[in-house]
Amino acid sequence: MTVRQTQTTCCYCGAGCQLLFTTDDEANKILDVHPVRGRTNDDKACLKGWYGWDFLNDPQILTKRLRAPMIRRGGKGAPLETVSWKEAIDFVAKNLLKVRDKWGPDSIMGAASARGPGNEPNYLMQKFMRACVGTNNIDHCARICHAASVAGSRQTIGEGAMSLSIPEIEDAEVIFNIGYNAAASHPVVARRIVKASEKGAFIICADPRITETARISNLHLPLKGGTNLALTNSMANVIISEGLEDKSFIQEHTKDYEAYREIVLDYPPEKVGPICGLDPADIRTAARRYASSKHSVILWGMGVTQFSQGVEVVKSLCSLAMLTGNFGRPSTGTGPVRGQNNVQGTCDMGVLPDVYPGYQAVTDPQIRAKFAKAWNVPSLPSEVGLQLTRVPERVVHEKDPAKKIHAYYIFGEDPAQSDPDLAELREALAAIDFVVVQDIFFNKTAMFADAILPATSWGEHEGVYTSSDRGFQRIRKVLEPVGDIKDDSDIICLISTAMGYPMKYKNSEEIWNEMIALSPKFTGATYEKIERQGSVQWPCYDPDPSDKGTMYLHKGGQFATADGRGIFKTSHYHPPTEVENEQFPLTLCTVREVGHYSARTMTGNCRALRNLEDEPGWVEMSPADCKAIGVATGDLVRVTSKRGSVITRCLETGRVRPGAVYMTYQWWVGACNELTISSLDPTSRTPEYKYCAAKVEKIADQAWAENEVVKIYADIKSAMGIAREVESR
Ligand SMILES: Nc1nc2c(c(=O)[nH]1)N[C@H]1C(S)=C(S)[C@@H](COP(=O)(O)OP(=O)(O)OC[C@H]3O[C@@H](n4cnc5c(=O)[nH]c(N)nc54)[C@H](O)[C@@H]3O)O[C@H]1N2
Ligand SMILES: Nc1nc2c(c(=O)[nH]1)N[C@H]1C(S)=C(S)[C@@H](COP(=O)(O)OP(=O)(O)OC[C@H]3O[C@@H](n4cnc5c(=O)[nH]c(N)nc54)[C@H](O)[C@@H]3O)O[C@H]1N2
Ligand code: SF4
Ligand SMILES: [Mo]
């Protein structure tokens, strides 16, 4: 037995925990895993760090690991056939070229991955879409996640990322936690909030539910869903009307204060209290406390961004921090805590329709010329590309075939599970001429694929992830990949080469070096430095060891805007798009649970995690709502919205407000995205996953319902080719 130890970064959330794997190299088997000391995690991990690697054993509990390329040789409707890589690559290249020749480069859409692949394949994917295909139609799941944070922060403070870093949370004096449930989504960040509380910080938690953070908070604001902007404007109103603003900071470091002041003066707590369902006195306390310290931190998540007014709330949060001078020192500032392990990185790599790597605008002719030269093409597209949430609009609703999306290359995302209004999304996927899925598992989206390209997983390749707080950290190969599968970077290079734009790299470091040379903010973050320091936080301009990177942004009140001044912005509150009504009297909000992760292809294939929770998931309901229809915890119920209907289990809890129910988006049977609405924020194009109208009904025949759940689950699995659970390795 040859025993080897390898340190790598966890593949789930953006907390970036460091894990040490012990393997038996001869058997190609994992013997042990435990957390080790890292910049963000100390030496801690959550249950997914401890138990979330079992999918590497391919137990096929939920879905099958992809082991060889497959194509529909006979075209749409024909069966998927296993083929050689050569045939698969030629098939993909030929079909993408066919679409491009007929409809032009902008008829092709690319989605890339904030998950296992890491930064290097994502850099190549956007390079492929831009330099080879010739379009800026490249995007990823940040769109349906923190895109509102990026847009709102860039418009006010100039930079979309967390201004502070995860360890700094612990020394904050006030934490304003809004729409963020760290205990479920980033448990190791939640630990920092607990530590801050133990050190005496005042915790304000604005969440309609009694989350774990709400439980340990000094002030819980259980606001009605969808009313964030009324609350944040009202806090600013109190700060200004009580003279608690930081006048010299406003004067020296910001602009457009007057216009902002005028709007928030419309939001006194007495007027806002009834809108939010809060006691005006609590809004005053929150504002006074927030303004009372120069170490006040705002942490936010999906309860802010996944609304059609998400960008406006982000702007108002950045403005609150400017108003009180809470920027530019340790343990202060704004924390949009990025969700996925590498969603910060996938943004960093320019997998967005408007920027190249390092947040350089595609609309800037000089920047475009720089990339065109480096990538050896005569020119690059100058128009901002399509956001991925607009694919249904450009397939199902667009009448002009010349403006439609005709091919979709989906690399490491599962829109058929994670996008809103799944019926519409399925209609779009079925109507697109050519769909490529490049993944590690046969996911829900793979059912619509014309070609499936199997990739190596986290644990089977090298690279760099960026943690939520701008920290580049290495991922390393733990096991040898099994089967006829390839590294994501190699697959993209092969397709590009077959399409007439040759790409070839020796290893991930060579890709990284090309990327950092083109991105001033990252130029100093060499592999060697990341290796030596363990983590390098951008911006890091200089490869010299003396430039160690940047712990917190906006030092000395110098913002990342064109003239260095922060720009005050907010707007007027309006309610969400679809509100409760006679037919659908409840509001449905969709959130996370701690043991399963996003589309669940990975955690659903880990025995320990599957044993904690399985189909059909739960709907959290208040005791009053349960009583009204006569259901109790464990009963199967039917949840219905204008768009669909699913069966799930009732979970009665005093943690939610009457009138609002909560589901998680991990499940196939209890798939809440059959119900969610695809209304988008007009700027960030982020869907309103957190609010739509729904009803919950009792199912009289529980025995029938139990059978139905088993049947639906088995039908989906068999459609996806999963016959049984197998043990391997
Ligand atoms: N209702 C509702 N829906 C939501 C949300 C919500 O709050 N409510 N949240 C949204 C948010 S914030 C997000 S970020 C999205 C996430 O949605 P997705 O990005 O679609 O979900 P993930 O499970 O992260 O899956 C990505 C895919 O990547 C694959 N993958 C993993 N590693 C690799 C790799 O190394 N290579 C390749 N090629 N593939 C790999 C996985 O198998 C999986 O199929 O979901 C959104 N959906
Ligand atoms: N275990 C696990 N961890 C994950 C994920 C996972 O799927 N599973 N996904 C990862 C991803 S992609 C992301 S983006 C992060 C997201 O992590 P979070 O941002 O924590 O996401 P959510 O749990 O969707 O929503 C946060 C909170 O917003 C609240 N909320 C709902 N409506 C409102 C409102 O109107 N106002 C306010 N103030 N609050 C509201 C909800 O009650 C919820 O507690 O988690 C990451 N971590
Ligand atoms: S907190 Fe996040 S990064 Fe850390 S072990 Fe858990 S899932 Fe992994
Ligand atoms: Mo996310």
Side-chain angles (χ1 to χ4, degrees):
M1 186 157 86
T2 321
V3 174
R4 186 168 53 99
Q5 289 203 308
T6 316
Q7 184 175 330
T8 193
T9 306
C10 176
C11 64
Y12 292 106
C13 84
C17 299
Q18 294 301 298
L19 304 172
L20 187 69
F21 281 78
T22 308
T23 45
D24 173 351
D25 268 2
E26 274 146 40
N28 201 27
K29 218 175 155 53
I30 294 167
L31 301 173
D32 176 55
V33 182
H34 62 266
V36 287
R37 189 160 292 276
R39 183 181 59 79
T40 57
N41 70 313
D42 285 342
D43 56 355
K44 302 293 186 283
C46 79
L47 76 172
K48 294 184 292 306
W50 283 99
Y51 303 112
W53 48 270
D54 190 23
F55 71 89
L56 289 169
N57 293 322
D58 197 15
Q60 301 192 17
I61 303 169
L62 179 71
T63 146
K64 262 195 214 158
R65 186 70 197 271
L66 298 167
R67 297 292 192 202
M70 288 185 278
I71 62 170
R72 291 189 205 276
R73 240 191 219 126
K76 286 252 177 251
L80 281 165
E81 294 173 65
T82 299
V83 295
S84 69
W85 271 103
K86 176 156 187 347
E87 186 173 354
I89 296 291
D90 287 349
F91 183 74
V92 171
K94 190 185 81 197
N95 278 287
L96 290 180
L97 285 173
K98 199 166 111 189
V99 169
R100 189 180 65 179
D101 290 347
K102 186 160 181 199
W103 303 108
D106 290 336
S107 68
I108 303 180
M109 179 75 203
S113 186
R115 300 302 315 287
N119 283 325
E120 295 82 350
N122 278 295
Y123 169 77
L124 292 186
M125 182 68 181
Q126 59 83 40
K127 177 177 175 180
F128 163 73
M129 290 302 292
R130 292 180 160 127
C132 175
V133 177
T135 178
N136 283 316
N137 288 351
I138 176 72
D139 206 357
H140 75 288
C141 70
R143 185 67 46 210
I144 51 184
C145 180
H146 267 294
S149 303
V150 177
S153 302
R154 290 182 79 194
Q155 286 182 36
T156 47
I157 55 176
E159 194 73 85
M162 280 181 77
S163 83
L164 75 161
S165 45
I166 290 166
E168 288 172 64
I169 294 171
E170 160 174 346
D171 290 308
E173 288 173 352
V174 179
I175 295 176
F176 177 32
N177 181 101
I178 172 164
Y180 175 48
N181 181 18
S185 55
H186 298 112
V188 167
V189 178
R191 186 176 159 268
R192 301 284 182 178
I193 302 175
V194 172
K195 290 192 104 183
S197 169
E198 285 167 0
K199 289 183 179 182
F202 190 90
I203 317 271
I204 305 160
C205 179
D207 197 304
R209 296 188 301 165
I210 305 172
T211 58
E212 290 302 295
T213 309
R215 278 187 57 221
I216 63 153
S217 68
N218 304 80
L219 177 62
H220 178 209
L221 302 173
L223 76 176
K224 175 171 164 46
T227 64
N228 289 326
L229 194 55
L231 170 68
T232 53
N233 280 346
S234 191
M235 285 172 66
N237 176 294
V238 174
I239 291 168
I240 293 170
S241 46
E242 298 190 4
L244 305 174
E245 73 277 25
D246 185 335
K247 295 184 186 65
S248 63
F249 190 92
I250 296 169
Q251 172 98 40
E252 282 161 37
H253 301 296
T254 70
K255 59 186 184 193
D256 295 357
Y257 173 66
E258 280 309 318
Y260 168 76
R261 184 174 171 273
E262 208 154 291
I263 295 179
V264 302
L265 285 184
D266 240 15
Y267 292 82
E270 289 64 31
K271 177 170 154 190
V272 167
I275 298 173
C276 299
L278 295 173
D279 183 345
D282 286 344
I283 301 177
R284 281 189 197 282
T285 308
R288 287 173 190 152
R289 282 292 187 154
Y290 178 72
S292 71
S293 168
K294 293 295 178 214
H295 294 283
S296 290
V297 163
I298 309 179
L299 299 177
W300 76 81
M302 298 298 101
V304 163
T305 59
Q306 290 176 336
F307 278 106
S308 58
Q309 251 193 325
V311 174
E312 301 309 316
V313 180
V314 171
K315 288 184 204 166
S316 79
L317 290 171
C318 294
S319 297
L320 264 183
M322 287 192 279
L323 186 66
T324 51
N326 266 305
F327 273 119
R329 288 176 305 281
S331 297
T332 184
T334 46
V337 195
R338 306 300 298 262
Q340 310 255 50
N341 58 304
N342 196 40
V343 64
Q344 183 60 57
T346 309
C347 291
D348 295 347
M349 293 307 107
V351 180
L352 292 168
D354 59 339
V355 288
Y356 295 113
Y359 304 95
Q360 304 174 79
V362 297
T363 47
D364 180 328
Q366 272 181 332
I367 299 282
R368 227 166 35 239
K370 174 175 90 171
F371 278 92
K373 185 162 173 247
W375 293 345
N376 202 16
V377 286
S379 67
L380 285 165
S382 57
E383 302 260 304
V384 169
L386 190 72
Q387 300 88 348
L388 64 81
T389 40
R390 295 176 71 191
V391 167
E393 169 196 324
R394 292 283 285 274
V395 178
V396 179
H397 305 291
E398 177 60 60
K399 295 283 171 284
D400 180 355
K403 291 189 185 149
K404 278 182 187 265
I405 292 297
H406 291 278
Y408 198 176
Y409 181 170
I410 305 168
F411 152 40
E413 282 212 6
D414 192 5
Q417 175 69 16
S418 56
D419 276 13
D421 193 355
L422 287 180
E424 184 184 64
L425 200 269
R426 283 191 295 267
E427 193 183 338
L429 286 176
I432 295 174
D433 304 345
F434 191 66
V435 176
V436 184
V437 165
Q438 177 171 323
D439 210 285
I440 58 174
F441 282 104
F442 196 103
N443 62 14
K444 294 284 280 296
T445 310
M447 291 199 274
F448 296 87
D450 298 286
I452 296 180
L453 306 173
T456 57
S457 153
W458 165 85
E460 297 168 348
H461 53 232
E462 300 278 324
V464 174
Y465 288 171
T466 319
S467 62
S468 299
D469 60 352
R470 299 171 277 104
F472 295 131
Q473 306 192 112
R474 285 296 314 275
I475 51 159
R476 296 184 182 85
K477 190 169 176 173
V478 174
L479 293 174
E480 283 304 318
V482 175
D484 192 13
I485 66 179
K486 287 186 188 296
D487 185 283
D488 284 306
S489 294
D490 293 340
I491 301 172
I492 297 162
C493 287
L494 286 170
I495 294 173
S496 188
T497 305
M499 286 175 68
Y501 181 76
M503 288 207 269
K504 193 168 172 47
Y505 296 84
K506 280 202 302 285
N507 52 33
S508 60
E509 186 171 6
E510 195 182 1
I511 304 169
W512 183 258
N513 288 341
E514 176 178 313
M515 186 282 295
I516 58 174
L518 287 163
S519 312
K521 278 180 190 163
F522 313 147
T523 303
T526 58
Y527 259 43
E528 192 268 329
K529 194 183 285 185
I530 299 171
E531 203 71 62
R532 183 160 28 85
Q533 290 185 196
S535 172
V536 176
Q537 287 176 279
W538 65 258
C540 180
Y541 298 100
D542 194 336
D544 191 84
S546 62
D547 184 350
K548 294 191 161 41
T550 310
M551 187 171 99
Y552 58 88
L553 303 176
H554 317 303
K555 200 168 188 165
Q558 186 66 25
F559 289 101
T561 49
D563 61 3
R565 283 183 172 264
I567 309 165
F568 275 103
K569 279 187 194 295
T570 189
S571 50
H572 286 287
Y573 160 77
H574 65 70
T577 313
E578 183 182 86
V579 295
E580 46 281 38
N581 51 56
E582 212 168 294
Q583 195 187 358
F584 299 108
L586 302 172
T587 63
L588 170 69
C589 176
T590 59
V591 294
R592 281 159 177 78
E593 58 191 77
V594 71
H596 282 289
Y597 198 90
S598 287
R600 175 166 143 257
T601 56
M602 290 148 88
T603 52
N605 280 306
C606 295
R607 282 159 282 207
L609 300 175
R610 188 281 308 263
N611 291 343
L612 285 178
E613 284 300 343
D614 205 351
E615 296 282 359
W618 299 92
V619 57
E620 292 184 340
M621 298 173 67
S622 72
D625 290 329
C626 288
K627 197 166 165 223
I629 58 166
V631 293
T633 295
D635 291 353
L636 288 167
V637 292
R638 180 171 288 288
V639 190
T640 307
S641 80
K642 224 173 174 177
R643 290 152 294 280
S645 181
V646 299
I647 297 177
T648 185
R649 248 175 244 288
C650 166
L651 179 65
E652 183 175 338
T653 169
R655 288 185 178 225
V656 308
R657 294 169 65 115
V661 299
Y662 294 78
M663 293 171 75
T664 63
Y665 70 103
Q666 270 76 34
W667 309 107
W668 290 356
V669 179
C672 66
N673 280 328
E674 300 290 346
L675 316 174
T676 49
I677 186 168
S678 60
S679 64
L680 307 176
D681 179 287
T683 309
S684 69
R685 308 284 180 173
T686 308
E688 200 148 40
Y689 287 118
K690 291 286 183 271
Y691 207 103
C692 71
K695 67 178 171 188
V696 181
E697 291 164 304
K698 183 184 171 116
I699 302 177
D701 189 345
Q702 287 289 304
W704 170 87
E706 293 289 351
N707 275 331
E708 190 67 8
V709 168
V710 173
K711 187 175 164 300
I712 297 170
Y713 198 16
D715 286 351
I716 301 173
K717 281 193 172 191
S718 102
M720 294 172 73
I722 317 292
R724 64 192 166 88
E725 293 179 19
V726 297
E727 303 273 336
S728 67
R729 274 219 180 101

